[in-house]
Amino acid sequence: MDCHQEWCGPCAAIVPTFSRVFIDTSNATSRIHLATASYDLHQERIAGILPTDSNISLEKIGCVPLFLFIRFKQCVSVVQGADAPGITQQVAMNVPDLKKKDEDMM
């Protein structure tokens, strides 16, 4: 989930990374779902998704992109900032490569 401010330049700058992730991931459209949420509109819901041990203050986050990686309805990882390598790494960890047999079934 891409959590952002509507006016945030770094938030917009990370968009090409999402395109790259979809290009580089086998069967991405059926395996990855990207959601976006504005801090201004969904701050309370975003706070409810963050891991309980997270010390992220959404009130003070300002213009810093925040990416939540959710698997099985749980936030498993958080990447703060326009950190393309961090996002790519989390996708690789949470969306493992398909085995040939699995690709044939999709």
Side-chain angles (χ1 to χ4, degrees):
M1 178 184 294
D2 169 14
C3 305
H4 61 277
Q5 296 282 8
E6 298 298 327
W7 46 266
C8 177
C11 297
I14 205 71
V15 171
T17 299
F18 300 129
S19 297
R20 185 87 249 153
V21 164
F22 271 85
I23 289 168
D24 292 346
T25 304
S26 298
N27 297 310
T29 56
S30 63
R31 301 174 63 218
I32 299 174
H33 301 279
L34 176 64
T36 63
S38 167
Y39 289 135
D40 294 333
L41 300 175
H42 303 289
Q43 192 173 86
E44 192 172 304
R45 286 183 175 175
I46 295 167
I49 295 170
L50 289 170
T52 53
D53 62 350
S54 170
N55 59 357
I56 297 169
S57 172
L58 296 177
E59 295 83 25
K60 297 178 182 177
I61 205 152
C63 187
V64 176
L66 181 68
F67 303 94
L68 309 179
F69 293 84
I70 301 167
R71 288 184 73 184
F72 308 112
K73 299 181 183 181
Q74 292 272 13
C75 183
V76 296
S77 182
V78 177
V79 174
Q80 281 187 278
D83 181 2
I87 292 167
T88 304
Q89 178 185 29
Q90 287 303 314
V91 170
M93 287 174 48
N94 290 291
V95 184
D97 287 335
L98 289 174
K99 294 178 181 161
K100 180 66 177 149
K101 183 176 81 172
D102 294 334
E103 284 182 0
D104 293 341
M105 295 177 72
M106 293 190 126

